[in-house]
């Protein structure tokens, strides 16, 4: 086995986005494309020689091939040990857990999260640091800079590793340990939640649940935890076998893409509880019988009830939410007398707050919820948290949420996505808005008086770093908000996201359809930003 040094030329488009480098599979399959990016990572991580690296992905097309390449490059670059999930499978939260538990220097996670997979679908590479969380911007920038000048990479000339058999082999001087994908993660869940109580709840009464893994990475985790450890009936987990193209589906747990689950949960004789997760297992959608829990509300409910759960019995240090997430969690934090942090979109901004002990729970409107147990959002963790709360309260999902609104008021909330819009048009829309911001304050628009209008900028309270241009916010005097931003995870054209929020204190008005409750603001957003005219789209692609 010899180390080969391969000459290469830089690709100029390897800038990591919201969540690592995401491109379509054929882009990654170009000669040297993946190798250049991986070498740029190894060149940017100081002192990786002799260290442990965690490696795995969501099982999508190109996962296995990429893992073989990365293993040989890790060996050529002098890593001491690589822990790789069996079959190349590691969910994003499991990878985070394993990095932390085994004191790895970091991990490489292969996923394009909720984007479709298959030969023409998307693929992605993300580097996580030793705390288990996504690399901070300083580091992703360093990787990008390196990728622009790289002229060679190192790879071991060796045969492929058997990824399906658990055990240890060596590649050059590197130990490659193929580990069970689920064990460490399941143990962590058991340390946080009252598994006995959840088990009784799932097996002794009439409670029925349905978990849709959307043929993505959560399948093996959910089957092991719900059906084997917690004894839920076989069939509780649906679409539980990970497929390279997710069965042709779009592995995103929302009302549009998880339509089979939605049909069951809103049909006759629906189960009591439904949940879904995304391609790489970090997102979650929570449903009750004929009832949808908005992710922002979900974070608020978990925070308000956290002390019912063993892992959070001592209370929360603080809550963090991304800027576009509704302000429902802020109300819980105010009542608990703890801080609520508002960060830019993307999980990487939560890491410092969690590491510094400033926040315990965090979440995003985009179906992401998590805590200080790992440094990623965590789909199954959220499902178990809900089950634990329901088991203690012996109430339905709808009852728990409605009681929450009665106490705190309801933040009506919705996100409208315009996907695959022409990038120039989307940029024009944002630029037009930006140029109008300074004149908006104090103006009355459609009956709403503008309290502030800005392009969100965040100063990290731990390291002082500043992230600017994180989304345009127009806030009104009654607390309502409209937020506009462009997606940082798409791979084709641009995706415009419009976020809408209105607060309603009176419980007598809590039963409206959010699209009706927000109708004025939806219209106002179109007037202010000329969305329909500039995107050429009569309506959003996805409404959540
Ligand atoms: C989207 C979500 C964001 C999430 C990210 C990764 O990013 O909006 O909250 O952290 O996916 O799952 P966006 O496409 O909006 O940049
Ligand atoms: Zn994801």
């Amino acid at each position: 086995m010899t180390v080969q040094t391969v000459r290469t030329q830089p690709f100029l488009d390897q800038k990591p986005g919201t969540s690592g480098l995401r491109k379509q599979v054929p882009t990654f399959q170009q000669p040297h494309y993946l190798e250049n990016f991986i070498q740029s990572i190894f060149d940017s991580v100081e002192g990786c020689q002799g260290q442990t690296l965690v490696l795995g992905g969501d099982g999508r097309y190109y996962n296995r091939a990429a893992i073989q390449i990365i293993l040989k490059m890790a060996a050529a670059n002098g890593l001491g040990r690589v822990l790789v999930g069996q079959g190349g499978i590691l969910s994003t939260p499991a990878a985070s857990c394993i990095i932390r538990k085994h004191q790895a220097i970091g991990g490489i996670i292969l996923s394009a999260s909720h984007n479709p997979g298959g030969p023409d679908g998307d693929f992605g590479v993300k580097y996580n640091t030793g705390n288990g969380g996504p690399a901070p911007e300083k580091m992703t920038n360093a990787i990008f800079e390196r990728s622009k000048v790289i002229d060679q990479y190192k790879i071991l000339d060796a045969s492929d590793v058997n990824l399906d058999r658990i055990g240890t082999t060596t590649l050059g001087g590197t130990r490659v340990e193929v580990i069970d994908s689920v064990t460490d993660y399941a143990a962590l869940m058991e340390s946080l939640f009252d598994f006995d109580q959840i088990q009784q709840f799932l097996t002794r009464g009439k409670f029925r649940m349905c978990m849709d893994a959307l043929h993505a990475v959560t399948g093996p985790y959910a089957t092991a935890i719900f059906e084997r450890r917690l004894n839920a009936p076989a069939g509780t987990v649906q679409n539980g076998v990970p497929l390279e193209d997710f069965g042709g589906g779009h592995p995103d747990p929302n009302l549009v893409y998880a339509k089979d689950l939605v049909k069951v949960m809103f049909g006759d004789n629906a189960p009591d509880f439904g949940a879904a997760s995304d391609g790489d297992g970090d997102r979650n959608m929570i449903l009750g019988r004929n009832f949808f829990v908005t992710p922002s509300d979900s974070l608020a409910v978990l925070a308000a009830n956290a002390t019912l759960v063993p892992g959070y019995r001592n209370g929360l240090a603080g809550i963090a939410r991304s800027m576009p997430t509704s302000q429902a969690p802020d109300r819980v934090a105010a009542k608990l007398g703890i801080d609520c942090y508002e960060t830019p979109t993307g999980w990487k901004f939560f890491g410092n707050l969690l590491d510094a002990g400033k926040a315990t729970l965090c979440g995003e409107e985009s179906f992401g919820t998590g805590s200080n147990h790992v440094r990623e959002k965590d789909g199954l963790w959220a499902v178990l948290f809900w089950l634990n709360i329901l088991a203690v309260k012996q109430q339905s999902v709808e009852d728990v949420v409605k009681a929450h609104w009665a106490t705190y008021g309801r933040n009506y909330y919705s996100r409208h996505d315009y996907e695959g819009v022409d990038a120039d048009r989307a940029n024009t829309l944002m630029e037009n808005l930006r140029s109008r911001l300074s004149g908006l304050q104090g103006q009355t628009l459609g009956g709403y008086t503008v309290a502030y209008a800005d392009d969100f900028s965040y100063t990290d309270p731990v390291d002082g770093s500043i992230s600017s241009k994180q989304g345009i916010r127009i806030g009104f005097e009654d607390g309502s908000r409209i937020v506009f931003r462009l997606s940082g995870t798409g791979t084709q054209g641009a995706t415009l996201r419009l976020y809408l929020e209105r607060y309603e204190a009176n419980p007598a008005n809590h039963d409206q359809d959010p699209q009706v409750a927000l109708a004025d603001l939806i219209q106002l957003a179109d007037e202010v930003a000329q969305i329909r005219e500039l995107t050429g789209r009569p309506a959003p692609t996805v409404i959540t």
Side-chain angles (χ1 to χ4, degrees):
M1 283 188 278
T2 52
V3 172
Q4 293 185 316
T5 301
V6 181
R7 309 237 21 114
T8 186
Q9 304 225 314
F11 294 87
L12 299 179
D13 64 346
Q14 299 196 322
K15 184 172 172 57
T18 312
S19 241
L21 183 67
R22 294 229 181 126
K23 299 285 173 194
Q24 290 181 296
V25 167
T27 301
F28 271 106
Q29 286 173 322
Q30 297 173 80
H32 311 310
Y33 192 89
L34 174 70
E35 291 87 342
N36 275 16
F37 191 67
I38 298 298
Q39 187 66 51
S40 300
I41 295 175
F42 289 141
D43 288 348
S44 308
V45 178
E46 262 169 53
C48 61
Q49 281 76 17
Q51 298 285 335
T52 298
L53 179 80
V54 172
L55 177 62
D58 63 12
R60 68 178 58 225
Y61 185 83
Y62 201 53
N63 192 50
R64 282 175 175 263
I67 286 181
Q68 297 294 353
I69 291 170
I70 296 168
L71 284 173
K72 290 168 198 168
M73 290 187 67
N77 280 277
L79 271 292
R81 182 170 73 137
V82 183
L83 301 176
V84 52
Q86 188 178 20
I89 292 287
L90 283 182
S91 77
T92 293
S96 184
C97 157
I98 293 165
I99 292 169
R100 293 167 67 79
K101 181 164 180 173
H102 298 275
Q103 277 127 34
I105 188 162
I108 294 177
I109 303 175
L110 305 176
S111 169
S113 187
H114 49 287
N115 294 5
D120 300 315
D122 286 348
F123 190 74
V125 178
K126 186 167 78 154
Y127 183 72
N128 281 30
T129 51
N131 73 347
E137 258 174 21
K138 200 172 87 192
M139 178 143 196
T140 54
N141 287 340
I143 295 170
F144 179 46
E145 291 307 318
R146 181 73 195 134
S147 76
K148 289 195 283 192
V149 295
I150 191 164
D151 60 2
Q152 61 178 47
Y153 62 83
K154 286 193 221 151
I155 186 160
L156 196 72
D157 183 14
S159 46
D160 283 357
V161 171
N162 182 346
L163 295 176
D164 296 306
R165 205 184 55 229
I166 289 182
T168 302
T169 46
T170 53
L171 264 187
T174 306
R175 276 163 66 93
V176 175
E177 295 180 23
V178 176
I179 59 172
D180 182 83
S181 311
V182 179
T183 306
D184 286 333
Y185 177 80
L188 178 59
M189 293 301 109
E190 192 155 1
S191 75
L192 295 172
F193 301 109
D194 189 339
F195 269 34
D196 290 343
Q197 195 165 13
I198 298 174
Q199 181 179 342
Q200 284 178 22
F201 188 58
L202 289 177
T203 54
R204 300 239 177 110
K206 285 197 244 113
F207 186 87
R208 285 183 299 136
M209 79 170 267
C210 173
M211 168 82 214
D212 193 340
L214 300 174
H215 285 303
V217 80
T218 327
Y221 294 87
T223 307
I225 293 173
F226 296 121
E227 296 189 11
R228 290 206 287 275
R229 174 62 185 81
L230 294 168
N231 286 336
T236 295
V237 179
Q238 298 188 354
N239 301 322
V241 178
L243 299 176
E244 287 196 331
D245 65 349
F246 308 116
H250 195 137
D252 202 1
N254 62 38
L255 294 173
V256 175
Y257 294 128
K259 54 183 179 311
D260 294 347
L261 176 71
V262 170
K263 212 161 143 195
V264 169
M265 295 305 299
F266 286 83
D268 295 338
N269 192 27
D272 303 274
F273 182 81
S277 190
D278 71 330
D280 61 330
D282 57 359
R283 295 185 172 197
N284 73 90
M285 177 169 70
I286 303 293
L287 300 171
R289 180 184 295 140
N290 296 308
F291 193 83
F292 166 65
V293 185
T294 303
S296 303
D297 278 347
S298 178
L299 175 61
V301 168
L302 298 188
N305 294 287
T307 52
L308 300 178
V309 170
Y312 306 92
R313 196 137 277 161
N314 296 331
L316 308 176
I319 305 173
R321 63 161 174 85
S322 68
M323 182 273 284
T325 302
S326 98
Q327 297 160 97
D330 305 35
R331 296 181 176 277
V332 177
K335 189 159 185 205
L336 294 173
I338 57 177
D339 286 328
C340 188
Y341 297 89
E342 185 174 40
T343 61
T345 294
W347 208 260
K348 60 188 172 206
F349 295 98
F350 294 133
N352 277 353
L353 298 171
L354 296 168
D355 282 349
K358 289 180 177 294
T360 309
L361 295 191
C362 38
E364 296 191 278
E365 48 66 39
S366 52
F367 297 84
T369 335
S371 88
N372 58 353
H373 69 290
V374 289
R375 292 295 180 272
E376 290 279 1
K377 54 190 176 252
D378 190 344
L380 284 181
W381 166 91
V383 175
L384 286 162
F385 206 135
W386 266 94
L387 287 172
N388 202 147
I389 290 172
L390 297 178
V392 173
K393 288 187 167 256
Q394 300 280 322
Q395 283 179 338
S396 71
V397 172
E398 180 170 352
D399 288 346
V400 169
V401 174
K402 288 196 165 161
H404 185 92
W405 292 339
T407 307
Y408 296 92
R410 177 170 183 186
N411 288 71
Y412 278 104
Y413 186 83
S414 184
R415 182 175 109 180
H416 290 194
D417 294 330
Y418 295 79
E419 294 178 338
V421 172
D422 176 73
D424 289 341
R425 283 162 168 250
N427 287 324
T428 303
L429 184 151
M430 294 299 282
E431 282 311 323
N432 287 354
L433 267 175
R434 250 180 220 117
S435 67
R436 291 191 54 194
L437 287 177
S438 57
L440 282 179
Q441 195 177 357
Q443 276 194 33
T444 301
L445 303 174
Y448 290 86
T449 307
V450 178
Y452 61 91
D454 62 9
D455 198 344
F456 181 59
S457 171
Y458 177 68
T459 304
D460 187 298
V462 180
D463 65 18
S465 59
I466 295 172
S467 306
S468 51
K469 284 193 154 183
Q470 297 294 324
I472 292 176
R473 328 183 274 180
I474 304 179
F476 302 99
E477 281 186 347
D478 68 347
S480 302
R481 292 194 310 172
I482 311 175
V483 174
F484 301 86
R485 59 178 283 284
L486 298 183
S487 159
T489 58
T491 56
Q492 278 164 302
T495 293
L496 171 71
R497 305 204 193 283
L498 164 67
Y499 310 81
L500 305 135
E501 174 176 9
R502 181 168 81 74
Y503 180 67
E504 174 61 63
N506 184 355
N509 298 331
H510 283 171
D511 282 325
Q512 294 175 57
D513 174 343
Q515 301 309 316
V516 175
L518 296 165
D520 298 2
L521 289 170
I522 294 169
Q523 202 191 330
L524 186 59
D526 191 50
E527 282 167 22
V528 176
Q530 293 179 294
I531 302 173
R532 277 185 288 185
E533 197 183 318
L534 283 171
T535 62
R537 297 288 176 78
T541 331
V542 181
I543 295 182
T544 43

